[in-house]
Amino acid sequence: MISIKSKLRTVVTALAVGASLTVAPSASAEPVLAVHTGAVFNEPSSTDAAARGRILFHLADLVDGAEAGSSIRISLYLFQSGYLANKLGDAHDRGVAVQVVVDDDSRSAGLDTLRSRLANPGGSPDSWVRSCREREACLALDPGTTAADPDGWYDNVNHNKFFLFSRTRGKGTVAVDDVVVQSSGNLTGQDLNSWWNDALTVAGNKELFDAYGSYFTDQAAAALGRIPQVADYAHDTQAGKAKVYFFPRSDRDTVVDVLKTVAPAGTTAPCQGNGPGFGTSDGRTKIRIAQGHITRPEVARQLWELAQAGCHVEIVYRSLDNWTADGRPMSQVANWLTRPTTGKGRIVLHQLDNDGRGGTDSHTKYLLIEGTYLGGVNKKIVFTGSHTYTVTALKYNDEALLTYEDDQDTSVFDAYVRNFEAQRTAAQTEGL
């Protein structure tokens, strides 16, 4: 059987990314006037290169605005962008410490350019690129052979996609400290031109920034063998309106735990009681998910339990279920998500998996909760990051999941809703 990772490696090798990742943004690119908390999305179906590359150009603006003596730290699965490599090289030359941790699968001309530029002795002495061990994540313990994977065919990876800027002006004139950008996308042509991706920037949150920084430091140390790999990295950090979860996890399913707080067991009226502007027209909680892969039956079952409790659940997805050893799809996830419910709750599915036929794919990994959460009502919360709802993402990969509560100034949440609606429209109009 060919592994998911091997399939992806084949696709990545075939990408013609040079031209798409070295072009500068056109004059129509939306300006970023100052560094602030907010969401950025690419538009893979757009004919405008600036719209397709909106996340890339946002990152480039932050790199350009990084001040001498500051740091840029990046943890990424695939780095292929010659355009951003040269931007980072320029930052290094002016005294910015550029530090990058990538998966061993990240082998490209763009990464070679970055290594070469960071080797310039005239730049920051603290710049470097480190790769995880071959066919392993950096920090997450290699599972080897397991009961679910007796042949050990799946290679775990550093699947992260985050960027840390200690001080940057972006395209503005006022420098901002402690900037975190959590994205769903890699730096590849396919991530720009075929796949829907998001990037959530949280600016000026030192506690969140430091939590990511500690995780990055552990990844970098593990890549060199200075600290051991781990089977569990339960370092959750609440930082004001934000919270971050890191992976791997060995015993609990973080996503299931999150979903259980929407309608806790024993709640008198679960999924109900929200005011105008939150949830459905009759005040029931809405769950929206735009997710590349869902293969954990426990997550699917909990989503059905929420629908059974009266929540409205809507999912844009790329694929459901895992495969058996002989290549047949298992059906637990699909069975839970298509199971009938009683009462008003329901689950609506939209498949978006078209890039092989000239369309687009959902590559985001976000969950939007609008309504009940942690015993309260009228909540608007975004969960986003690199974390797919797969066993490998939970137990074996290096991953991050960022939460942002946005129930007062709802600009972040509303931006994600608009993106969800755009992906839903693409799923309905592109056809499979």
Side-chain angles (χ1 to χ4, degrees):
M1 177 178 173
I2 300 175
S3 74
I4 295 173
K5 185 176 178 186
S6 296
K7 292 178 182 177
L8 180 56
R9 186 182 292 116
T10 301
V11 171
V12 167
T13 303
L15 289 176
V17 300
S20 64
L21 293 181
T22 55
V23 63
S26 70
S28 62
E30 295 182 2
V32 179
L33 302 178
V35 180
H36 61 277
T37 296
V40 178
F41 307 90
N42 72 321
E43 297 179 30
S45 57
S46 175
T47 58
D48 182 0
R52 297 195 305 274
R54 192 171 287 128
I55 295 172
L56 175 66
F57 300 143
H58 172 60
L59 293 170
D61 289 340
L62 295 174
V63 171
D64 286 346
E67 297 190 346
S70 69
S71 67
I72 300 172
R73 288 171 288 176
I74 300 171
S75 182
L76 194 65
Y77 176 44
L78 296 175
F79 190 113
Q80 297 181 352
S81 174
Y83 169 70
L84 199 65
N86 281 310
K87 292 283 188 180
L88 291 165
D90 293 343
H92 162 77
D93 290 347
R94 65 176 182 270
V96 178
V98 178
Q99 301 176 350
V100 181
V101 172
V102 293
D103 189 78
D104 183 68
D105 275 359
S106 193
R107 304 180 185 187
S108 68
L111 188 61
D112 291 342
T113 296
L114 180 62
R115 291 183 189 276
S116 176
R117 291 294 308 273
L118 298 189
N120 175 22
S124 170
D126 297 319
S127 297
W128 41 257
V129 177
R130 295 179 188 170
S131 295
C132 305
R133 304 172 195 177
E134 185 177 5
R135 298 183 179 275
E136 294 185 19
C138 283
L139 188 56
L141 184 66
D142 184 353
T145 57
T146 65
D149 182 20
D151 298 322
W153 60 265
Y154 185 84
D155 307 324
N156 60 324
V157 299
N158 171 28
H159 196 241
N160 278 299
K161 299 110 171 41
F162 65 79
F163 306 78
L164 311 178
F165 301 84
S166 67
R167 186 171 179 83
T168 178
R169 300 185 312 275
K171 291 183 71 175
T173 58
V174 178
V176 176
D177 295 335
D178 305 324
V179 177
V180 175
V181 181
Q182 176 63 69
S183 182
S184 67
N186 300 292
L187 296 175
T188 76
Q190 199 156 17
D191 281 274
L192 272 68
N193 300 314
S194 299
W195 296 346
W196 296 80
N197 280 297
D198 69 290
L200 176 57
T201 300
V202 180
N205 188 325
K206 179 172 173 51
E207 191 172 4
L208 181 69
F209 181 85
D210 288 347
Y212 270 94
S214 295
Y215 178 57
F216 178 88
T217 297
D218 286 345
Q219 277 198 295
L224 294 179
R226 293 175 179 171
I227 63 173
Q229 293 176 320
V230 295
D232 192 276
Y233 197 87
H235 290 255
D236 305 345
T237 299
Q238 183 75 53
K241 296 171 68 174
K243 183 176 183 178
V244 64
Y245 306 83
F246 299 110
F247 299 84
R249 301 300 175 99
S250 60
D251 57 352
R252 297 187 64 87
D253 190 318
T254 304
V255 175
V256 170
D257 288 345
V258 165
L259 293 173
K260 284 183 176 180
T261 66
V262 175
T267 302
T268 303
C271 293
Q272 299 178 48
N274 299 292
F278 293 87
T280 63
S281 59
D282 57 351
R284 291 179 295 111
T285 297
K286 278 188 178 181
I287 305 293
R288 301 175 179 92
I289 295 173
Q291 174 63 257
H293 305 289
I294 305 176
T295 67
R296 302 206 297 264
E298 298 82 3
V299 172
R301 176 172 181 168
Q302 192 58 44
L303 288 168
W304 180 83
E305 294 282 359
L306 289 176
Q308 184 77 345
C311 287
H312 180 87
V313 180
E314 194 164 9
I315 303 171
V316 174
Y317 70 95
R318 183 177 177 184
S319 66
L320 304 176
D321 286 316
N322 257 326
W323 291 267
T324 59
D326 59 359
R328 293 180 301 168
M330 297 186 291
S331 60
Q332 294 97 319
V333 168
N335 282 346
W336 278 113
L337 295 181
T338 57
R339 184 173 297 197
T341 59
T342 59
K344 292 185 176 181
R346 61 175 179 159
I347 298 175
V348 181
L349 299 173
H350 310 278
Q351 187 173 19
L352 182 52
D353 182 20
N354 284 312
D355 70 306
R357 292 173 290 280
T360 62
D361 265 11
S362 181
H363 194 251
T364 53
K365 304 106 169 62
Y366 63 71
L367 159 68
L368 310 180
I369 296 175
E370 182 180 348
T372 54
Y373 186 70
L374 283 177
V377 296
N378 298 342
K379 302 291 185 179
K380 290 190 176 183
I381 309 174
V382 175
F383 295 79
T384 190
S386 66
H387 184 79
T388 56
Y389 299 165
T390 64
V391 174
T392 49
L394 177 66
K395 294 187 174 183
Y396 307 129
N397 286 352
D398 294 352
E399 308 266 7
L401 175 64
L402 175 62
T403 304
Y404 190 78
E405 187 165 350
D406 198 36
D407 52 317
Q408 295 180 1
D409 172 13
T410 62
S411 58
V412 171
F413 186 88
D414 293 344
Y416 272 91
V417 170
R418 289 192 296 271
N419 180 261
F420 178 85
E421 291 171 348
Q423 290 199 50
R424 181 181 61 194
T425 297
Q428 293 169 340
T429 58
E430 289 183 10
L432 290 175

